[in-house]
Amino acid sequence: RKEVEQDPGPFNVPEGATVAFNCTYSNSASQSFFWYRQDCRKEPKLLMSVYSSGNEDGRFTAQLNRASQYISLLIRDSKLSDSATYLCVVGDYNQGGKLIFGQGTELSVKP
Amino acid sequence: DAEITQSPRHKITETGRQVTLACHQTWNHNNMFWYRQDLGHGLRLIHYSYGVQDTNKGEVSDGYSVSRSNTEDLPLTLESAASSQTSVYFCASKPGGTGELFFGEGSRLTVL
């Protein structure tokens, strides 16, 4: 079983749609959680950190369920510019803080 | 502005050759990482370092080595390149703790 698993997609949605990505992780000792965005094989960039209480940044909402070892990302009112691959990332301080990446979920937003 | 740079950005080499990919960051981050990215596998950790003279193996370290002689650089060496090492390689750095991971632009390596 992979340490971090995501549905690879692709998710094809129309502009304005709401789309949700899910991610599960296997290491119960994991302590830090992130969503990264990657465009067309360019370098990944941080989209948002994920906190236990859940957090929101504009159209993006991230949730963490430690009991189920599950992370989610919700994108509301999708824009064409949201088309990218979204990477779920999990870190463990007990392993020196190294970050483990899921394989990514591809999103394509169509006009 | 502080940054992280990789070189070369593109390289074609032959099986059996030694290849070194350079990574240089100017943020003075202690933590540096090398990942490879392949279709169907996402980003996989090759090696990482938490400071000068510190190196650690990641999940796919066979055939790769790194050295950390200063804070700014973490070169990745393929001792004897194999076709299975054809990939896009990303270097990254971050401050300690929960700091954001910053990536270089990637190095695309083709082994023929």
Side-chain angles (χ1 to χ4, degrees), chain A residues 31-44:
Chain A
Q31 296 145 337
S32 58
F33 309 90
F34 309 89
W35 284 100
Y36 275 70
R37 170 187 169 136
Q38 186 175 27
D39 295 285
C40 296
R41 292 291 175 180
K42 293 187 176 180
E43 72 273 23

Side-chain angles (χ1 to χ4, degrees), chain B residues 46-107:
Chain B
I46 306 172
H47 281 286
Y48 57 103
S49 169
Y50 294 135
V52 176
Q53 302 303 331
D54 175 75
T55 60
N56 306 280
K57 293 182 178 181
E59 61 179 310
V60 290
S61 60
D62 288 348
Y64 304 94
S65 63
V66 292
S67 60
R68 189 86 181 272
S69 59
N70 58 54
T71 300
E72 296 80 16
D73 299 289
L74 186 70
L76 176 71
T77 297
L78 288 67
E79 301 294 342
S80 177
S83 57
S84 60
Q85 294 177 306
T86 292
S87 186
V88 178
Y89 292 86
F90 287 102
C91 180
S93 74
K94 74 180 188 76
T98 59
E100 176 182 349
L101 192 61
F102 294 88
F103 284 85
E105 293 181 306
S107 296

Side-chain angles (χ1 to χ4, degrees), chain B residues 15-36:
Chain B
T15 302
R17 298 238 185 207
Q18 184 181 81
V19 176
T20 296
L21 305 179
C23 176
H24 179 81
Q25 53 97 3
T26 58
W27 282 299
N28 204 37
H29 288 163
N30 283 327
N31 302 335
M32 296 184 72
F33 306 81
W34 273 104
Y35 291 88
R36 62 177 287 176

Side-chain angles (χ1 to χ4, degrees), chain A residues 28-92:
Chain A
S28 60
S30 298
Q31 296 145 337
S32 58
F33 309 90
F34 309 89
W35 284 100
Y36 275 70
R37 170 187 169 136
Q38 186 175 27
D39 295 285
C40 296
R41 292 291 175 180
K42 293 187 176 180
E43 72 273 23
K45 293 184 178 178
L46 180 66
L47 178 66
M48 59 196 303
S49 301
V50 186
Y51 304 116
S52 296
S53 55
N55 48 299
E56 187 174 307
D57 183 2
R59 298 180 293 107
F60 299 84
T61 300
Q63 297 280 352
L64 168 64
N65 184 323
R66 286 185 182 272
S68 301
Q69 295 180 204
Y70 170 93
I71 307 160
S72 66
L73 176 68
L74 184 75
I75 305 175
R76 291 181 299 279
D77 189 23
S78 299
K79 311 292 184 189
L80 296 176
S81 58
D82 293 334
S83 296
T85 295
Y86 292 83
L87 303 167
C88 175
V89 186
V90 174
D92 177 6

